Amino acid sequence: MRVGIADRGSVRVVTLDNPPVNALSFAYSAELLEAVRAAEADANVRAVVFTGANGLFSGGADVNDFSTEPTPETKTVRDVIAAVEAGTKTYVAAIDGNALGGGLELSLACDYRIATKASKLGLPEIKLGLLPGAGGTQRLPRLIGAQAALEFMLKGSSNPAEKALKLGVLDELVDGDVVDAAVALAERALASEPKRRVSARKAIIGKGITAQAGPFVVSAAHKMVPPEENGGYAAHKLIDAVEAAVELPFAFGIAREARLFEELVRSEPSAALRHIFFAERELNKVPGLAAAEPLTIAKAGVVGAGTRGTGIAIAFATAGIPVVVVDSNDGAVEKAKQTVFGMFMYQVQKGKLTQEEAWKRAQSIVFTEDYAELADVDVVVEAVFESMDVKKQVFARLGGIVKPDAILASNTSTLDIDEMASVTTRPDKFVGLHFFVPANIMPLLEIVRGKDTSPQTIATAFKLGKTLRKTSVLSANAFGFIGNRMVIDYAGAANAIAEEGVSPWRIDGVMKKFGFPMGPFAMSDLSGIDVGWHIAKARPDLVTSRTHVVDRLVEMKRLGQKTMGGYFKYDKAVGKGREPIQDPEIEALFAEEAKKAGIAPRDYTDDEIRDRLIGALSNRGKDLLEKGVALRSGDIDIVYVYGYGFPPHRGGPMWYADHAKSATASEELTHA
Ligand code: T1G
């Protein structure tokens, strides 16, 4: 790591160069501070331009540092920014690429900020359970107004340079070399402009909004974010910091921001979110996998125009990959076409696509009955009925049609990849691509590795996942892979508690209070009670239920949302028929069946329900790690956060079971 120094007349260009993302670590900040001090001490230097090497400005503070305890001697990005703030020189930030977190905050301390059009600027700290702790909560409101600053920081997204310019974060967009432009701007400023530190400005609420509206804007913001105890802890503290920017002098606001930041950096939600941040970046590191050049996927094929196949086709088209969908069922094809058209038009209505883009994407999905149209695709994803025989017929047929180096993939959610590969002559190019439904929306993709899947096929699957903007997790070829194998234990634990007399309604309520978007019984109603029933018939060794409640529900044709009744009732007039309604009839059914099975009722506290269900997940997760089905516990956490709605501020089932003070999971493994 180094700090680049180059003088252009009286303008000193300081280049942030700390690969890969110019992270402003404690160590790097100390070097950068020396460079600022040297510039301030040099009479020949009248202005300083900050810029970044490695294709970006800076990815912000080094997230690793937050798990260490700084000493009084430790220098951080705050010290660099304080030196700029106190400095006498004119400072210009020349941004190209990403300027995020503490990197953007460094630029906010400058007098001017200019960027190339391709740049992206953001304060994503909220995603780490933090707030911008290097002056961002105090300077951004002074630059763009408190209301806009709250939106900018609470969303935590990366903003295109155009938007940053419109908001007032940037002074100029640059076509040519951003450093040349910054040096020229500095020279002009030296010739004519007084210094203009952002800190000297007054934070307005927003354009045309009077200061009296301040308290209203702040209280409205508090109402819009989740409760502190359920994922909103950092958001509420961030709003408090912005309130200080409006109410207090700069120095007091900075002090409050620092205090709030220290609270957050030591909080459980932030530790959990930082765990997710790094776990995500470990996913494609496969120990022992030979390096291999991924293939290019220029065209894709999908066999099966059902819900899954259509979602996968839309995901390809959205990523700009033309796709051929093969299905001989006219009804399915017609329904698929309407789904595709409806999806892209919806994005036009939401302003996410122009009509022209939507039309282009829809046109890039070709439906046909003719398998021969798959002859030139680079990957085929099978998404037909979840039956091994049907899938094997598809793959046996594809072998003679697709080109020799095309990858064959199954979207199966539980079945044996090797058995499917056995009917082809290319087991090295066979892989599971388990998209979570709906495939065009859910971010998780399980990549399932067969015993003969080659390193190149795995590398290609990871690259395809990134192209499709998926979070991809590698699983070995075992029943249910990672997520669905664990959900069997989760549902089993919930069912066991219901058999002991606790209502499904209360169990779901406990898990929703924990942070899941829906509880286990509502999840079964959504996916279909018959799905679980079929799995139980296929794998009776995995069944833990001691009653025939599920059989009774299937007999009663209470299969869940799709039959307007399952563990709960559904009413089209309530939440469009998707809102679970407590059903005393089912609670009576549980009691009746439990009595027949001689199961004694038992009381549970809410915490016991929570810990029993999460314990079931984490114990199965440990089993999957021991069996080598999952590579790391962080991978399992990512599967549950991205695929099953586990609240990210709790870190995932493995992290929570290990770290949460309240976790008292003692659930024994229900099966080998
Ligand atoms: N700290 C430490 N490591 C980081 C990092 C960071 N901020 N950003 C990236 N890395 C590592 C990452 O783990 C990976 O490591 C490698 O860099 C490439 O990352 C005080 C408190 C910048 C858009 O949240 O969004 O500033 O796997 O695969 O796809 O107020 O990285 O190679 O060992 O993601 O090109 C706020 C997080 C920090 C930005 C580049 N900043 N980073 O994406 O590469 S808190 C962030 C990103 C803060 C201040 C606050 C992305 C990127 P490895 P990558 P990429």
Side-chain angles (χ1 to χ4, degrees):
M1 68 183 181
R2 58 187 286 277
V3 177
I5 303 289
D7 285 353
R8 302 225 198 144
S10 62
V11 179
R12 172 155 296 174
V13 179
V14 174
T15 303
L16 280 57
D17 187 357
N18 182 20
V21 297
N22 302 339
L24 298 169
S25 63
F26 291 163
Y28 193 74
S29 297
E31 294 207 19
L32 198 51
L33 178 60
E34 283 318 303
V36 172
R37 284 175 174 161
E40 285 292 328
D42 188 329
N44 296 325
V45 174
R46 298 181 61 215
V48 175
V49 169
F50 286 118
T51 193
N54 307 306
L56 80 166
F57 187 74
S58 167
D62 188 321
V63 183
N64 294 291
D65 286 341
F66 301 135
S67 308
T68 68
E69 198 54 47
T71 68
E73 293 67 46
T74 304
K75 297 304 175 203
T76 75
V77 60
R78 283 187 199 148
D79 297 295
V80 178
I81 289 173
V84 169
E85 178 66 39
T88 59
K89 314 294 182 183
T90 292
Y91 285 84
V92 183
I95 296 167
D96 190 14
N98 283 294
L100 301 171
L104 181 58
E105 291 175 286
L106 173 61
S107 79
L108 295 178
C110 295
D111 301 278
Y112 300 89
R113 283 153 298 283
I114 67 174
T116 59
K117 288 178 182 159
S119 298
K120 292 224 176 353
L121 299 87
L123 292 173
E125 288 85 339
I126 196 82
K127 294 179 180 171
L128 297 167
L130 300 170
L131 54 74
T137 66
Q138 306 304 304
R139 288 190 176 89
L140 196 62
R142 285 175 166 79
L143 206 52
I144 68 173
Q147 198 165 40
L150 280 169
E151 185 183 348
F152 192 98
M153 293 186 280
L154 288 172
K155 267 193 186 158
S157 45
S158 286
N159 301 275
E162 288 275 359
K163 180 178 176 188
L165 179 74
K166 280 199 191 95
L167 282 172
V169 178
L170 289 173
D171 296 294
E172 271 177 45
L173 287 189
V174 170
D175 280 325
D177 181 290
V178 69
V179 175
D180 293 348
V183 170
L185 189 159
E187 285 164 348
R188 287 197 307 274
L190 288 171
S192 59
E193 297 275 329
K195 294 197 58 46
R196 51 170 210 164
R197 290 287 193 271
V198 173
S199 58
R201 302 186 190 198
K202 178 91 183 83
I204 63 167
I205 301 302
K207 285 196 182 77
I209 302 175
T210 64
Q212 285 71 20
F216 169 75
V217 166
V218 167
S219 68
H222 279 297
K223 289 192 182 84
M224 279 190 308
V225 298
E228 285 204 9
E229 68 282 0
N230 211 343
Y233 188 51
H236 287 285
K237 300 299 177 192
L238 191 154
I239 296 165
D240 290 345
V242 170
E243 186 178 18
V246 175
E247 306 281 333
L248 302 177
F250 184 77
F252 289 81
I254 283 284
R256 179 173 298 178
E257 175 194 88
R259 179 173 56 74
L260 293 168
F261 180 83
E262 289 313 312
E263 267 182 65
L264 291 175
V265 81
R266 286 172 173 73
S267 69
E268 266 189 24
S270 182
L273 288 165
R274 296 187 325 250
H275 156 66
I276 294 293
F277 172 86
F278 287 116
E280 264 183 310
R281 288 162 175 80
E282 286 299 301
L283 294 171
N284 64 350
K285 295 173 185 168
V286 184
L289 185 72
E293 194 55 35
L295 296 171
T296 299
I297 304 290
K299 185 174 180 184
V302 175
V303 178
T307 308
R308 291 166 178 267
T310 307
I312 294 168
I314 293 172
F316 275 114
T318 302
I321 298 175
V323 50
V324 174
V325 181
V326 176
D327 198 315
S328 56
N329 176 329
D330 287 345
V333 169
E334 270 323 299
K335 187 166 182 289
K337 284 180 177 174
Q338 284 163 25
T339 304
V340 166
F341 187 72
M343 172 54 69
F344 289 132
M345 289 319 291
Y346 174 74
Q347 289 179 354
V348 172
Q349 286 157 15
K350 300 290 277 181
K352 291 192 174 160
L353 285 182
T354 63
Q355 288 270 14
E356 187 193 350
E357 286 163 340
W359 185 245
K360 195 165 156 247
R361 283 188 185 173
Q363 292 302 303
S364 73
I365 303 176
V366 172
F367 290 91
T368 177
E369 292 185 26
D370 185 359
Y371 267 69
E373 292 203 35
L374 295 172
D376 63 343
V377 300
D378 303 300
V379 61
V380 180
V381 183
E382 161 276 315
V384 297
F385 181 64
E386 194 69 357
S387 145
M388 182 57 81
D389 291 345
V390 174
K391 292 178 186 301
K392 285 166 87 169
Q393 283 165 21
V394 166
F395 286 115
R397 188 169 173 189
L398 284 172
I401 294 170
V402 297
K403 57 188 183 185
D405 63 350
I407 286 177
L408 300 180
S410 171
N411 174 54
T412 181
S413 56
T414 58
L415 300 179
D416 184 333
I417 293 296
D418 289 332
E419 188 176 342
M420 290 179 216
S422 69
V423 301
T424 75
T425 56
R426 61 180 85 190
D428 60 322
K429 294 194 172 301
F430 200 98
V431 71
L433 291 180
H434 176 214
F435 290 86
F436 280 66
V437 178
N440 52 304
I441 293 172
M442 286 299 282
L444 185 66
L445 172 66
E446 278 181 327
I447 297 171
V448 185
R449 178 182 191 175
K451 63 182 174 20
D452 298 319
T453 305
S454 71
Q456 183 176 54
T457 300
I458 291 172
T460 306
F462 270 109
K463 183 182 169 195
L464 176 61
K466 190 157 186 158
T467 307
L468 298 177
R469 300 176 66 80
K470 296 292 178 186
T471 296
S472 306
V473 182
L474 188 67
S475 170
N477 177 34
F479 183 81
F481 314 134
I482 299 171
N484 281 346
R485 179 63 194 87
M486 289 169 64
V487 85
I488 290 173
D489 295 83
Y490 179 68
N495 183 63
I497 294 173
E499 288 174 337
E500 291 178 299
V502 181
S503 76
W505 185 257
R506 177 170 165 227
I507 295 166
D508 272 33
V510 167
M511 298 321 283
K512 282 174 69 175
K513 184 163 172 279
F514 178 76
F516 279 93
M518 63 173 66
F521 290 101
M523 195 162 75
S524 291
D525 276 357
L526 177 65
S527 54
I529 291 174
D530 47 330
V531 170
W533 185 77
H534 280 298
I535 289 176
K537 295 304 168 211
R539 290 295 303 268
D541 58 310
L542 301 183
V543 177
T544 56
S545 174
R546 297 164 290 174
T547 66
H548 293 288
V549 166
V550 176
D551 294 324
R552 293 280 304 277
L553 287 170
V554 171
E555 284 157 21
M556 294 153 70
K557 297 210 182 328
R558 287 192 60 132
L559 306 181
Q561 278 191 25
K562 60 188 173 188
T563 56
M564 297 304 281
Y567 288 106
F568 303 117
K569 289 187 291 191
Y570 296 87
D571 178 339
K572 285 209 182 311
V574 181
K576 297 190 188 124
R578 290 198 289 268
E579 183 71 30
I581 301 166
Q582 186 171 8
D583 189 347
E585 190 185 330
I586 299 307
E587 291 162 18
L589 175 65
F590 265 103
E592 182 192 334
E593 286 297 321
K595 194 166 177 209
K596 280 183 200 168
I599 299 169
R602 178 193 148 184
D603 281 342
Y604 280 85
T605 65
D606 286 3
D607 286 359
E608 285 171 334
I609 293 170
R610 175 201 62 206
D611 291 345
R612 172 101 183 250
L613 266 64
I614 295 176
L617 286 176
S618 62
N619 283 307
R620 178 59 60 200
K622 284 189 197 108
D623 176 53
L624 295 180
L625 285 171
E626 282 157 19
K627 289 175 179 163
V629 177
L631 286 174
R632 294 162 285 255
S633 62
D635 289 29
I636 294 172
D637 287 332
I638 294 294
V639 166
Y640 257 77
V641 166
Y642 280 88
Y644 296 82
F646 196 99
H649 65 278
R650 309 251 195 213
M654 310 305 280
W655 173 272
Y656 182 78
D658 286 350
H659 292 83
K661 296 183 188 66
S662 53
T664 56
S666 57
E667 168 77 11
E668 287 310 310
L669 261 190
T670 47
H671 284 280

